[in-house]
Structure formats: C-alpha cells, structure tokens
C-alpha cells in the first residue's frame, strides 16, 4: 500500500512538472504577445485603462492556476492559503516562474531521452544487433548500468530541486508579505487574548457552580444534621443523636474531599512544590480507573506550559472517566527540542465533541501559548487528546 502511494505521489509530481513546463511556455508566449499588443494601446489613454484591466485579469487567472497546480499536484498546502496578491505581484511571479518551469520540462525531457536510449540498446541486444557496433559484454553492461544509475540519481535530485524552487518562488511572490504576516500575527494575538479571557471566565463559572451546587448544598445538609442531632440530644434521645452525629461526621469528610478536589482543579499546589511529573501522578492516583503515566521531559518546562499541560491532562482524564466509560487511560508527556507533547488516550467509546465547553476551553488555553490542540475520537473509540506546546 505504501509502495502504491509512493508511485501515485511520484506520478502526480511528474505530471505537475509537465503541466508546469507547458504553462511556462504559455506564460512566456503570453507575456511576449501581451507586450506587443499592449505597447501600442498605451499610447491612447482611452484604450490604456481597458487594456491594463484585461491584462490584470489574465495575469491573476494564470497565477491562480499555478497556485492550484502547486496545491493539487505538488501537495503544497501552504499555497492554498495564498490570498490578497494583486496583479503586480502576480505578474512578477509569472515573470520569474517561467524559467523554473522550463527547467523542470528540460529535466523531464532528458528522462524521456535516457529511457528511450536504454530501451533501444536493450532491444537491439535482445534481437542480436549491436547499436554503434557495441556488443553487450559484461564491462559494457556494467559501465552503462553505473552511468544510467548516476544519471537517474542526478535527474531525481534535479526534479526535487525544481519542485522546491517552484514552491519558494510562489511563497516569495504570492505568499504573505512581512506586513501581512505582522497583521495576521496581531489578529491571532487579539483572538487568542479574547479566547483566554473567555476560557478563564468559563473556568470561574464552573468553579462557582461546583461550589454552589456541590459544597454549599452539602454544608446546608451538614448544618441540618447537626441541628437535628442537637434537638434529639436535648429531647433525651441519645441513640438518635449519636446516629445523626455519625452521619454529620461522614458528611464533613465527603465535603472535605470535594473541597480538596475543587482546590486541585483551581490550581494544584504540587505544580509549585513537586513539579508536573508528581502533579500528573496525583491525577492518576485520584482517578477511579487504572491510569499509567510516562513522563520523559528532562528539563523543567516554563511555568505556563506546565500549567496548560496539567489542565489538559486533568480535563481529559475527567472526561474519559465520566463520559467515555473507559477502563484504561494512558498519559504520555515527551519533549523534543523546543516542543513538549502531551498525549492522553483511553479505550472508551469515543465520540468526544471537540466543540464542547471543556475541550474548547483547553484549546483556547493551548492557543494562547501558540500551541496546537487536537482531539481524535471516532465513534466507538478510542480517544486521544494531543497537545503540542512550544517551550521557548
């Protein structure tokens, strides 16, 4: 299957170079014809505007076609995002690209010529004839095999170089300018700042809801139990009073556990005192199902990265326990160069909604650090939450 995919990708690449060579010829001819036709029209002001408008339209269409060619045939996903280039940048791109296209076409032509030559030699030898009076001796066959292999290696390297050159030229002329990149960065920062504010506000509301609907209600119940115990004791019913006091004691322990859980969800003190490894071990110990933790981060990451990683793991484990009916969870934290990767996978039923409130809040928290957040959860499972956080 991989071999077939590689063959299809190679065929698509060759077809892209062939189309690029044809468009290079068409572009060169079009630019020459356009110059010849446009030059007289520029002398008349009435025809100048219409001619320039038509030229701009043709140039933009050609540039758009090249952009699609790079995306469809070369797999250049970045080319899909090129937007906003005007006719001047498109014309400059076409003016620089056509030699690159002809270079790719020339290398392809050499491939065809070489393949045809080898085919002719082999055919002649199989039919008992000697091309150029050269018999197929072992030395000749070895010499030609080495020469063909070397030429094939150079040709493949040349094609790869042409493809990279095509991408670089398109990125240089059609891609975003430094001003565009700065504007996009400002827009991204504005969006992530708003997302962080929204995530923090959602987290605050969730904590308030936990305290109001959980701890507060339990405290009210505890007060009622103590009141009933006091009234029973005053009435002389010591047995009932002792039973109510025992219930109140058990209730107070559950309240303490719930308060501890809420405190961990706000910010675990272990992050400051023991570090991320022990904080994750605490998450695994509190989970009601088996959780394995593999932590392979030799250096301590920055504090914001540690906090984001902890909340991602905590929320993912909570979701797996509550909603996925998982029986096993695995937490893997690794670091490669300047990026820390956190993966939380479970064997539950899957079907997690990345647009849910909890996962959306995590995605916003990760985006605020220029990280990447992904949820892979097909229906039927398993589920994997993957986060990549830059550490520098």
């Amino acid at each position: 299957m991989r071999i077939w995919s590689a063959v299809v990708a190679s065929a698509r690449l060759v077809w892209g170079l062939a189309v690029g060579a044809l468009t290079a010829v068409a572009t060169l001819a079009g630019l020459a014809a356009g110059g010849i036709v446009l030059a007289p029209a520029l002398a008349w002001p009435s025809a100048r505007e219409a001619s320039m408008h038509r030229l701009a339209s043709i140039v933009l269409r050609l540039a758009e076609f090249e952009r699609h060619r790079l995306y469809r045939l070369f797999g250049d996903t970045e080319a899909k995002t090129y937007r906003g280039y005007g006719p001047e940048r498109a014309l400059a791109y076409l003016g620089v690209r056509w030699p690159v296209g002809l270079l790719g076409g020339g290398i392809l032509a050499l491939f065809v010529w070489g393949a045809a030559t080898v085919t002719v030699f082999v055919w002649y030898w199989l039919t008992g004839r000697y091309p150029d009076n050269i018999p197929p001796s072992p030395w000749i066959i070895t010499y030609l095999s080495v020469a063909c292999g070397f030429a094939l290696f150079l040709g493949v390297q040349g094609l790869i170089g042409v493809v990279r050159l095509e991408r670089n030229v398109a990125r240089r002329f059609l891609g975003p300018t430094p001003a565009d990149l700065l504007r996009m960065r400002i827009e991204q920062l504005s969006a992530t700042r708003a997302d962080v504010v929204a995530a923090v506000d959602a987290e605050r509301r969730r904590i308030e809801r936990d305290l109001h609907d959980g701890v507060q209600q339990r405290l009210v119940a505890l007060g009622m139990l103590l009141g009933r115990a006091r009234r029973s004791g005053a009435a002389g019913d010591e047995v009932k009073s002792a039973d109510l006091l025992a219930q109140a004691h058990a209730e107070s322990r559950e309240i303490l556990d719930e308060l501890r859980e809420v405190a961990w969800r706000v910010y675990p003190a272990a992050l400051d005192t023991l570090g991320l490894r022990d904080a994750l071990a605490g998450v695994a110990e509190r989970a009601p199902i088996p959780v394995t933790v593999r932590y392979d981060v030799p250096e301590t990451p920055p504090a914001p990265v540690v906090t984001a990683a902890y909340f991602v793991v905590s929320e993912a484990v909570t979701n797996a326990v509550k909603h996925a009916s998982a029986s096993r969870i695995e937490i893997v934290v690794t670091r490669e160069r300047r990026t820390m990767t956190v993966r939380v996978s479970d064997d539950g039923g899957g079907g997690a909604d990345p647009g849910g409130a909890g996962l959306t809040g995590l995605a916003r928290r990760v985006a605020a650090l220029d990280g990447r957040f992904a949820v892979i959860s097909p229906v039927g499972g398993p589920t994997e939450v993957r986060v990549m956080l830059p550490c520098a």
Side-chain angles (χ1 to χ4, degrees):
M1 192 66 182
R2 290 183 178 178
I3 296 176
W4 175 249
S5 301
V7 170
V8 172
S10 300
R12 187 183 294 117
L13 204 67
V14 171
W15 175 242
L17 287 170
V19 174
L22 294 176
T23 57
V25 174
T27 301
L28 181 60
L31 291 175
I36 295 174
V37 175
L38 188 62
L42 295 178
W44 284 272
S46 58
R48 185 183 307 163
E49 184 176 355
S51 301
M52 293 300 294
H53 179 73
R54 183 174 295 277
L55 176 64
S57 176
I58 296 174
V59 166
L60 288 175
R61 289 182 181 179
L62 285 175
E64 188 68 9
F65 178 82
E66 292 296 333
R67 191 177 66 84
H68 276 286
R69 181 177 64 88
L70 293 176
Y71 171 63
R72 297 291 183 186
L73 299 180
F74 289 171
D76 187 4
T77 55
E78 189 176 350
K80 188 179 180 181
T81 64
Y82 295 159
R83 294 286 188 279
Y85 56 84
E88 294 181 358
R89 293 179 60 192
L91 182 60
Y93 166 69
L94 294 176
V96 174
R97 197 211 73 82
W98 67 264
V100 181
L102 291 182
L103 177 62
I107 296 177
L108 286 178
L110 288 177
F111 261 105
V112 175
W113 177 80
T117 302
V118 170
T119 303
V120 169
F121 265 72
V122 172
W123 174 254
Y124 270 56
W125 285 341
L126 291 176
T127 55
R129 292 175 291 177
Y130 301 149
D132 295 336
N133 296 321
I134 301 176
S137 65
W139 287 105
I140 290 297
I141 293 176
T142 303
Y143 169 75
L144 291 179
S145 299
V146 172
C148 290
F150 186 67
L152 180 63
F153 174 76
L154 292 180
V156 171
Q157 294 300 315
L159 292 178
I160 294 175
V162 169
V163 172
R164 291 180 177 174
L165 191 57
E166 289 253 31
R167 291 180 174 180
N168 291 334
V169 170
R171 186 182 302 112
R172 169 65 179 82
F173 290 96
L174 303 182
T177 62
D180 294 334
L181 292 175
L182 181 60
R183 187 184 68 255
M184 293 165 61
R185 180 60 176 163
I186 293 174
E187 293 175 354
Q188 181 187 13
L189 290 176
S190 299
T192 54
R193 185 185 62 178
D195 288 341
V196 168
V197 172
V200 171
D201 186 58
E203 188 72 17
R204 180 183 57 80
R205 288 199 302 270
R206 191 175 65 169
I207 294 171
E208 290 177 352
R209 185 171 60 252
D210 291 343
L211 292 174
H212 182 269
D213 298 339
V215 178
Q216 182 174 335
Q217 298 300 323
R218 286 183 173 274
L219 285 173
V220 171
L222 177 62
M224 294 175 65
L225 282 174
L226 292 175
R228 291 173 58 193
R230 184 176 59 82
R231 288 193 296 271
S232 297
D237 191 350
E238 297 297 335
V239 176
K240 185 175 182 181
S241 176
D243 182 60
L244 291 172
L245 284 175
Q247 294 183 34
H249 182 254
E251 185 72 13
S252 67
R253 295 179 62 180
E254 294 181 2
I255 292 173
L256 186 61
D257 291 340
E258 191 161 334
L259 272 174
R260 189 180 294 113
E261 182 67 23
V262 173
W264 269 85
R265 292 172 63 183
V266 173
Y267 187 81
L271 280 181
D272 291 333
T273 58
L274 302 177
L276 180 59
R277 179 198 295 267
D278 292 287
L280 298 182
V283 173
E285 290 176 359
R286 295 195 308 277
I289 60 176
V291 178
T292 58
V293 180
R294 185 163 68 87
Y295 188 89
D296 186 15
V297 181
E299 298 178 359
T300 303
V305 173
V306 169
T307 304
Y310 171 78
F311 279 106
V312 167
V313 172
S314 181
E315 182 71 21
V317 171
T318 302
N319 289 340
V321 172
K322 289 185 176 179
H323 307 299
S325 301
S327 61
R328 183 178 56 82
I329 300 175
E330 182 181 23
I331 302 170
V332 179
V333 183
T334 58
R335 178 172 177 174
E336 184 176 356
R337 296 182 179 178
R338 297 181 177 180
T339 302
M340 189 172 80
T341 302
V342 180
R343 292 192 298 108
V344 182
S345 55
D346 65 71
D347 60 350
D353 180 14
L359 294 178
T360 301
L362 293 180
R364 289 170 174 171
R365 189 186 290 270
V366 172
L369 300 175
D370 285 339
R372 285 184 289 176
F373 180 87
V375 178
I376 305 170
S377 182
V379 176
T383 296
E384 178 177 302
V385 177
R386 181 179 301 177
V387 172
M388 301 181 72
L389 297 165
C391 297

